[in-house]
Amino acid sequence: MTVAKGREFLNIPGPTTVPDAVLNAMHRPAVDIYAGPLVEVTESCLADLARIFRTEGNTYIYAANGHGAWEAALSNVLSRGDKILVLGSGRFAIGWGETAAMLGIEVDVLPGSWRHAVDTAAVEARLRDDTEGRIKAVLVVQIDTASGVFNDIPAIRQAMRAAGHDALLMVDAIASLGCVPFEMDAWGIDVAVSAAQKGLMTPPGLSFVAAGARAKCAHEQAGLRTQYWDWTAREGSLHYQKYCGTPPEHMLFGLRKGLDLLLEEGLENAFRRHRLLAEAVRAAVTLWSEGAAFAFNILEPQQRADSVTTILMAEGRDPKPLLSYCAQHCGVVLGIGIGELTGKAFRIAHMGHINAPMVLGVLGSVEMALKALDIPHGKGGVQAAVDWLGEHVPP
Ligand SMILES: *Cc1c(COP(=O)(O)O)cnc(C)c1O
């Protein structure tokens, strides 16, 4: 028995739903790479990415996924043997640190909890201990897609200042750009990275790096620069130099449309929409959790991300039946637990091109699965989500 016919809803935290307008923008013949519409698309995308990162600095577009942007960011400002500090709070900052280690960078990890945001007091203390100023950069994610944590980037920058440390601040905004406020310049971020396939509603395959003045300065001395990632090479006057070769044309037409959709909505409105839908998900999960079969992975409510919710199963409970039921019987593919949460959690994404029926449909499907599988849960989760939205989205 199934009620899964119809369009399947991929509800994982990336890639996210690609709007038809973006898909349609990509459906066109290849164009000249030396002149014509593509050159304008490149210029306007670079400028609009800077608007979205909120920086006066430079932006770069890579034909690569987020892991590529990680390597691009590191190789443009660091040298072999440099030391960096990675702020743990889930999977992704650690992964970025692993990329750095393979480049020959010395990586210190400030261990974090999978259930909490980065501890800013610990950051300050760790940097105070670095009396010789060996740490060249601090790496952190704004939203960790594995744990579902939201890190307070301005507070981390403040902790660095309080320690009197001048390391570069490098932030992964892959699962947060376009979903929650991000203020690269105002928050003192030196390098920011993001990717196409999450809040920016574009198919996977493009990623972005933004570099502020201090990063451009470090770039001059950086020993890890390579032809492909190099910012200076990409600032060459010929259009193809912006991509170190053939531009990813169709991806760029898609990106142009994705950025148009975001800017037409307005960043503030997009942030508000993400907050509203995230709160609706949290209202449902709060009620369901009364059954004690699972709970929010992130313990402090204000540290829960507005783009993804990670739900941790109680000891000994496997999330797999719930995930399979939703996929096979309802046509909703939820996110699995990854990293330390493999086999222990599931994730509900609320990121990018999503609206109330998509989120309420997912919540309804999860509640249906809880009922069908006899998983103990507090009743009325979907109703709580509906009520919350009804109260907070006035006519
Ligand atoms: C998805 C994600 C990545 C990795 O991006 P890929 O495109 O899969 O390489 C890195 N960091 C965060 C926070 C992410 O959510």
Side-chain angles (χ1 to χ4, degrees), residues 90-115:
R91 177 73 201 104
F92 286 95
I94 302 296
W96 196 2
E98 287 161 1
T99 300
M102 278 205 78
L103 290 169
I105 294 165
E106 192 183 323
V107 179
D108 262 16
V109 175
L110 182 74
S113 153
W114 273 68
R115 305 201 68 182

Side-chain angles (χ1 to χ4, degrees), residues 24-362:
N24 292 340
M26 298 173 71
H27 191 101
R28 54 183 298 165
V31 296
D32 189 6
I33 63 173
Y34 301 103
L38 192 65
V39 177
E40 279 159 40
V41 164
T42 294
E43 277 164 19
S44 69
C45 285
L46 289 170
D48 284 344
L49 284 166
R51 276 172 76 189
I52 294 168
F53 277 115
R54 307 268 298 156
T55 183
E56 299 282 316
N58 288 39
T59 48
Y60 306 90
I61 301 173
Y62 294 98
N65 61 16
H67 284 67
W70 279 351
E71 187 164 321
L74 295 164
S75 66
N76 270 290
V77 296
L78 294 167
S79 301
R80 185 171 280 273
D82 277 354
K83 185 159 155 170
I84 62 170
L85 180 65
V86 168
L87 308 182
S89 67
R91 177 73 201 104
F92 286 95
I94 302 296
W96 196 2
E98 287 161 1
T99 300
M102 278 205 78
L103 290 169
I105 294 165
E106 192 183 323
V107 179
D108 262 16
V109 175
L110 182 74
S113 153
W114 273 68
R115 305 201 68 182
H116 291 280
V118 167
D119 174 358
T120 53
V123 175
E124 183 181 334
R126 183 65 191 75
L127 291 174
R128 275 188 197 283
D129 281 349
D130 182 37
T131 47
E132 290 169 33
R134 285 210 53 220
I135 295 170
K136 295 282 181 267
V138 172
L139 270 54
V140 65
V141 293
Q142 187 178 26
I143 287 178
D144 186 281
T145 332
S147 67
V149 83
F150 170 67
N151 282 314
D152 184 345
I153 303 299
I156 290 167
R157 178 38 108 183
Q158 183 48 40
M160 293 171 70
R161 267 192 215 107
H165 205 290
D166 71 349
L168 297 173
L169 176 58
M170 302 177 66
V171 180
D172 172 335
I174 295 178
S176 52
L177 198 70
C179 307
V180 301
F182 188 85
E183 293 284 343
M184 175 150 166
D185 291 355
W187 295 349
I189 297 164
D190 299 296
V191 181
V193 304
S194 196
Q197 77 274 22
K198 309 221 173 162
L200 302 183
M201 306 175 283
T202 305
L206 292 181
S207 56
F208 319 110
V209 177
R214 295 175 73 232
K216 293 301 292 282
C217 217
H219 174 72
E220 285 165 25
Q221 312 297 326
L224 283 170
R225 289 164 56 176
T226 62
Q227 179 67 21
Y228 188 72
W229 302 123
D230 191 55
W231 292 340
T232 300
R234 282 171 183 254
E235 280 158 22
S237 57
L238 300 175
H239 179 246
Y240 80 88
Q241 291 176 299
K242 301 264 181 290
Y243 303 96
C244 192
T246 307
E249 298 194 335
H250 296 81
M251 304 295 303
L252 293 166
F253 287 116
L255 175 67
R256 182 59 269 161
K257 183 50 89 172
L259 298 180
D260 286 344
L261 295 177
L262 185 58
L263 294 170
E264 276 159 21
E265 178 179 12
L267 287 174
E268 291 302 322
N269 292 332
F271 302 155
R272 204 168 301 128
R273 174 171 55 86
H274 280 85
R275 166 57 59 86
L276 288 164
L277 294 171
E279 287 289 354
V281 171
R282 292 189 283 252
V285 175
T286 299
L287 263 207
W288 295 336
S289 299
E290 288 171 4
F294 51 77
F296 286 105
N297 179 56
I298 297 302
L299 294 166
E300 296 288 337
Q302 71 278 15
Q303 296 176 359
R304 293 175 189 149
D306 282 345
S307 53
V308 58
T309 297
T310 301
I311 298 153
L312 180 65
M313 303 302 289
E315 193 69 35
R317 266 193 192 273
D318 187 350
K320 205 180 275 158
L322 178 83
L323 292 163
S324 326
Y325 185 93
C326 286
Q328 285 164 21
H329 298 278
C330 309
V332 176
V333 178
L334 297 169
I336 58 169
I338 59 171
E340 270 182 41
L341 302 183
T342 302
K344 296 181 186 164
F346 67 98
R347 295 177 296 163
I348 297 176
H350 27 92
M351 188 189 304
H353 191 61
I354 43 146
N355 59 18
M358 292 157 99
V359 167
L360 292 173
V362 168

